[in-house]
Amino acid sequence: KKPPASRPSGAARCKRNCSNSRRRPMSHGLNVPQREAVHYLDGPLLVLAGAGSGKTRVITQKIAWMIEGCGYPPNKITAITFTNKAAKEMKERADALLQNGSAEGLSVSTFHALGARFLRQEAKHLGLKPGFSIFDASDTAGLFQELLKTADKAHLRRVHSRISLWKNALLGPEQAAAAAADEFERAAAATYVDYEKTLRAYQAVDFDDLIRLPVNLLESNDEVLARWQSRIWHLLVDEYQDTNRCQYRLMRLLAGPKAAFTAVGDDDQSIYAWRGADIGNIPLLQEDYPRLKIITLEQNYRSTTRILQAANAVIANNPKIFEKKLWSEHGHGDAVHVQLCRDDAHEAEWVAARLEAHRFQHRGKWADYAVLYRGNHQARVIEQQLRQQKIPYVLSGGQSFFDKAEIKDITSYLRLLANPDDDPAFIRAI
């Protein structure tokens, strides 16, 4: 008599259902590489998505395909991106693709939001109360000012940045002291010790701890690791090129031995090395996962050929990990014009004059135009010139609502109600 066959896991059954399904909902309008990325569930997948190639569409369509085409329970799928805005947009787009609220339980969040949820649920394993406080940038700045007994903002930022990079590299205070390369780093490592003690006394964590502490716990506690791996049947990571080593470790731990994940990124769009992002995480995937499948998305849906030719000429100078060439069906397009200006004031003056002339010539509306700048500090001189020329405008971005002084005053009371050990909140409240 044959022994009974072992019952396949839930994820394996869903995957089998998916491969047996003749229904391919979510494929309409996708190009061939996009469709392949959406339907691939046979192992770890890296999608190299060039700018404007529809990567968010691939992620949301894949979520919908797994739920409706393959029978994955929504609460077994976790998608991670880098901003709350992107997470909200991704969740809304996935909801729109699914019928009758079938996305209920789907987790779409930032790395930090996922880490915060993890810590709330596993707080007891780390000596934290479930109502622990999460210190933002101004809280930590005040703490460093208190520890270092200085008001030199440049020095405070430098020390904080050094400790943050150590945390992102998963180095604790003792390891940081051993790795310190000069007098500044040795002093920063000593501050790191006091900083950690103070955070624990306040029953608080900082943003870096939201990734570091879950990684430390998952690596040291097999029960917690097994519980979280069983909750995630497929993990999707957006903007993978901007992950640091700590975030990569968290991704690997959550994906587990099944390696059921889809990482979407582009080595040509990696710009956050200054805050710990490690472009080496892309080739590292190939080393750690020999079965890794790579799909490249090269068709651009956003720009004309001329813009892509200009972009490709600039990108060609980057050190290459993977070769790709963006192309478009949007036609040749207008010539790219580069204007040389004497200084920022002349630049703002030229922008305002160009706006007025183009609008007059084409009878356009002000809402048809946009001015982009790289940093908020560049907005002031452009705003001044637009006001002077009586050009109406709306400023996008700027200070967060939660960074306003009166809002921080109110939230300090709420923090104190949740965590009576939060001394900085108490001091602000009184």
Side-chain angles (χ1 to χ4, degrees):
K1 186 178 178 181
K2 287 183 181 179
S6 60
R7 188 166 178 261
S9 68
R13 290 198 307 277
C14 284
K15 189 173 157 187
R16 187 181 60 198
N17 294 341
C18 183
S19 60
N20 292 338
S21 171
R22 293 186 180 180
R23 195 169 157 248
R24 295 259 159 175
M26 315 308 153
S27 296
H28 179 69
L30 296 176
N31 62 37
V32 174
Q34 287 175 332
R35 193 177 305 116
E36 186 182 10
V38 165
H39 294 152
Y40 187 81
L41 291 169
D42 294 327
L45 171 65
L46 172 62
V47 180
L48 289 169
S53 61
K55 68 180 177 63
T56 304
R57 186 179 190 190
V58 165
I59 294 172
T60 53
Q61 299 264 24
K62 185 158 192 167
I63 291 170
W65 164 243
M66 284 190 286
I67 295 170
E68 288 203 340
C70 307
Y72 277 56
N75 63 351
K76 296 293 186 182
I77 300 171
T78 295
I80 303 174
T81 187
F82 268 78
T83 66
N84 290 320
K85 183 180 178 183
K88 182 173 180 284
E89 179 191 342
M90 195 177 289
K91 181 74 160 57
E92 288 172 349
R93 287 173 67 170
D95 283 341
L97 289 169
L98 294 161
Q99 300 171 355
N100 305 321
S102 52
E104 186 69 34
L106 172 68
S107 172
V108 183
S109 69
T110 64
F111 268 106
H112 291 94
L114 178 64
R117 180 157 56 92
F118 178 99
L119 291 180
R120 296 286 181 209
Q121 294 179 25
E122 310 293 348
K124 64 180 181 181
H125 295 290
L126 293 158
L128 291 168
K129 298 174 185 174
F132 66 84
S133 298
I134 300 173
F135 278 15
D136 64 13
S138 64
D139 294 323
T140 52
L143 196 49
F144 278 112
Q145 187 171 346
E146 184 183 320
L147 292 171
L148 294 169
K149 303 289 189 292
T150 179
D152 184 343
K153 289 185 178 180
H155 180 65
L156 292 171
R157 279 196 300 269
R158 193 175 170 215
V159 173
H160 185 194
S161 176
R162 180 63 268 177
I163 293 174
S164 177
L165 290 172
W166 277 327
K167 286 193 173 191
N168 287 329
L170 290 169
L171 297 179
E174 291 180 6
Q175 296 162 304
D182 53 34
E183 192 59 40
F184 166 74
E185 291 197 351
R186 283 188 284 274
T191 304
Y192 189 1
V193 175
D194 295 335
Y195 177 60
E196 284 297 285
K197 286 179 181 175
T198 309
L199 282 176
R200 295 301 161 260
Y202 291 161
Q203 278 288 302
V205 299
D206 62 18
F207 280 160
D208 297 317
D209 289 332
L210 296 178
I211 313 295
R212 182 178 70 101
L213 294 179
V215 168
N216 288 343
L217 182 57
L218 289 168
E219 289 185 336
S220 62
N221 190 312
D222 292 339
E223 180 192 339
V224 174
L225 178 64
R227 182 163 63 248
W228 279 83
Q229 286 179 348
S230 70
R231 292 178 183 178
I232 299 175
W233 290 2
H234 199 90
L235 180 67
L236 301 105
V237 180
D238 190 19
E239 306 290 5
Y240 176 73
Q241 76 279 354
D242 291 330
T243 56
N244 58 39
R245 264 322 139 87
C246 196
Q247 290 163 336
Y248 175 67
R249 288 270 278 277
L250 180 61
M251 177 188 125
R252 282 203 69 192
L253 288 162
L254 293 176
K258 302 185 301 294
F261 68 79
T262 300
V264 182
D266 180 10
D267 50 327
D268 283 324
Q269 295 185 66
S270 180
I271 60 171
Y272 289 116
W274 58 274
R275 69 178 187 196
D278 191 343
I279 192 63
N281 285 349
I282 291 182
L284 194 59
L285 271 182
Q286 286 184 300
E287 293 176 28
D288 291 340
Y289 298 98
R291 293 193 308 116
L292 180 73
K293 182 174 181 63
I294 299 174
I295 297 173
T296 304
L297 306 183
E298 296 178 303
Q299 183 175 357
N300 178 285
Y301 291 93
R302 190 183 295 159
S303 305
T304 59
T305 299
R306 257 187 170 137
I307 290 173
L308 294 180
Q309 285 174 342
N312 285 331
V314 174
I315 291 170
N317 295 287
N318 292 354
K320 284 289 176 186
I321 299 174
F322 299 100
E323 285 296 331
K324 62 181 175 304
K325 190 120 180 156
L326 297 179
W327 59 276
S328 169
E329 293 180 339
H330 282 327
H332 203 55
D334 296 336
V336 176
H337 175 79
V338 178
Q339 178 68 29
L340 186 65
C341 298
R342 291 188 304 274
D343 51 33
D344 56 353
H346 180 218
E347 179 182 52
E349 186 181 327
W350 182 86
V351 166
R354 177 79 176 133
L355 276 173
E356 288 192 302
H358 192 280
R359 177 174 173 269
F360 177 79
Q361 184 180 352
H362 296 276
R363 299 290 186 267
K365 302 189 297 288
W366 289 122
D368 294 334
Y369 300 88
V371 179
L372 304 182
Y373 44 83
R374 289 181 62 92
N376 285 330
H377 68 280
Q378 293 174 297
R380 184 178 60 83
V381 67
I382 295 173
E383 279 195 273
Q384 286 175 338
Q385 191 60 228
L386 294 178
R387 284 169 178 266
Q388 190 171 323
Q389 301 302 324
K390 295 183 172 52
I391 297 174
Y393 65 92
V394 175
L395 191 66
S396 178
Q399 188 185 35
S400 164
F401 174 78
F402 292 99
D403 287 337
K404 294 179 184 293
E406 59 273 27
I407 303 304
K408 290 184 74 68
D409 290 343
I410 292 169
T411 55
S412 67
Y413 284 93
L414 301 178
R415 279 170 46 183
L416 200 54
L417 285 169
N419 175 15
D421 293 316
D422 190 338
D423 283 9
F426 171 71
I427 291 166
R428 180 155 196 140
I430 62 169

